[in-house]
Amino acid sequence: MADIHRHRRILDEAWSRAPDVGPSAEELELLASLETEHTAPGLGETDAVPLLAVAQLFAKDIPDLIAPDGRDLLHVLWCPFSAHGQQATPGLTLLWRTASECTPLLHPPLPQVVGDADYVPEPCTLDPEQVLEHEFSELLPEDLRVRIEEWEEEAEEQTDEESAKKGHFLTYDGDHSIAPGWKVGGYATWGVTGPHPTLCSCGTPMALLLTIGSTEWSGTNSWVPLEDRKLICAHGANAPTQVTVGRGGSLNIFSCPANPMHEHKVSLQ
């Protein structure tokens, strides 16, 4: 864990110091040494591994958080080994608690080694912002999809030549429908598998609880917060958590709106 955080600090400092050059030869040598794989003596393949804290969410801060009766705090934890999860993702654990009963403050144990550095989150303070989303395009009525396609064609035709070369013309999926990055609630994107029903074991259609995104924005600047516009090109600005799921995609976590204590489901997109 210490090597992972040190590796990130060195890269951040190097790219901040020399945006066009990056790490020096000495830093590259140190980075390579920090990437050395480790073993934990005495730790067997089936032994228990401490889970990593991924997110802590309070219902008072997030209006869209679907919480069980009497619970107002969600702890999201995962195992830092893909083999212990589903669909090549970390094994997730959702713990619903009552905030007023969570005293004193506890510091969870950390694993000796992790299976993937991309599963180790950098500590971040959340500043929740509500945005308006629209359903994934393939789930819209056919006549509306046709109208959107016609609008996108017009938007592309009206885009200036320089922007068109870079693919910078407005699209429904990229600029208007579903926000990228980490979010609570809203709509799920289905860009990899296509839409499929997500039902709870009780038969209730499940709702999107939390999306864990590999980046806060990518490919389009439409969703970049105004206060971050000056950081668009800065190293790591769109990935403050340093978490990557899949091949740079998003992990959607669904819960049962009838009873959020029912088992959750995931979809990697």
Side-chain angles (χ1 to χ4, degrees), residues 229-254:
R229 292 294 170 100
K230 60 184 178 182
L231 303 174
I232 288 177
C233 297
H235 171 72
N238 68 339
T241 65
Q242 299 280 330
V243 166
T244 301
V245 290
R247 296 180 179 179
S250 296
L251 181 63
N252 294 321
I253 306 171
F254 297 90

Side-chain angles (χ1 to χ4, degrees), residues 1-264:
M1 294 283 287
D3 288 351
I4 292 171
H5 290 296
R6 189 181 181 194
H7 189 282
R8 292 172 178 174
R9 287 197 301 273
I10 292 172
L11 278 180
D12 288 342
E13 292 169 2
W15 286 109
S16 297
R17 180 188 68 242
D20 297 327
V21 179
S24 65
E26 293 78 9
E27 287 171 326
L28 288 174
E29 186 175 347
L30 177 55
L31 289 170
S33 69
L34 293 173
E35 293 173 355
T36 302
E37 292 188 355
H38 296 272
T39 57
L43 182 64
E45 291 187 4
T46 59
D47 289 350
V49 177
L51 301 178
L52 289 177
V54 178
Q56 175 175 267
L57 306 173
F58 291 88
K60 63 181 176 62
D61 297 327
I62 306 173
D64 291 334
L65 187 63
I66 304 174
D69 291 340
R71 312 288 178 97
D72 59 355
L73 172 61
L74 173 62
H75 285 154
V76 182
L77 312 170
W78 68 20
C79 176
F81 291 88
S82 292
H84 299 168
Q86 307 173 42
Q87 303 177 359
T89 62
L92 277 166
T93 297
L94 306 183
L95 296 178
W96 286 102
R97 290 175 168 157
T98 302
S100 60
E101 298 176 356
C102 292
T103 54
L105 180 65
L106 300 178
H107 296 282
L110 297 176
Q112 298 179 60
V113 291
V114 299
D116 194 326
D118 289 335
Y119 296 161
V120 179
E122 280 294 310
C124 296
T125 300
L126 302 180
D127 185 15
E129 177 182 0
Q130 258 189 313
V131 298
L132 177 64
E133 289 192 326
H134 301 283
E135 181 62 277
F136 185 67
S137 57
E138 292 183 32
L139 293 173
L140 295 174
E142 184 176 358
D143 61 334
L144 182 54
R145 290 203 307 271
V146 171
R147 289 167 53 197
I148 289 174
E149 291 171 1
E150 292 173 349
W151 170 81
E152 288 178 336
E153 291 175 0
E154 292 178 4
E156 183 174 1
E157 291 173 358
Q158 295 172 6
T159 301
D160 62 81
E161 184 176 345
E162 186 63 27
S163 296
K165 288 180 181 178
K166 299 177 182 178
H168 291 173
F169 50 86
L170 295 177
T171 64
Y172 175 79
D173 287 333
D175 301 276
H176 290 287
S177 60
I178 298 175
W182 291 56
K183 66 176 185 178
V184 173
Y187 292 106
T189 182
W190 299 98
V192 175
T193 64
H196 57 80
T198 306
L199 298 176
C200 179
S201 57
C202 70
T204 303
M206 303 185 85
L208 182 63
L209 171 67
L210 174 68
T211 296
I212 296 175
S214 297
T215 59
E216 292 301 302
W217 65 81
S218 178
T220 176
N221 297 333
S222 295
W223 293 100
V224 181
L226 295 178
E227 59 269 29
D228 290 340
R229 292 294 170 100
K230 60 184 178 182
L231 303 174
I232 288 177
C233 297
H235 171 72
N238 68 339
T241 65
Q242 299 280 330
V243 166
T244 301
V245 290
R247 296 180 179 179
S250 296
L251 181 63
N252 294 321
I253 306 171
F254 297 90
S255 67
C256 177
N259 187 346
M261 298 296 286
H262 289 175
E263 186 177 1
H264 66 273

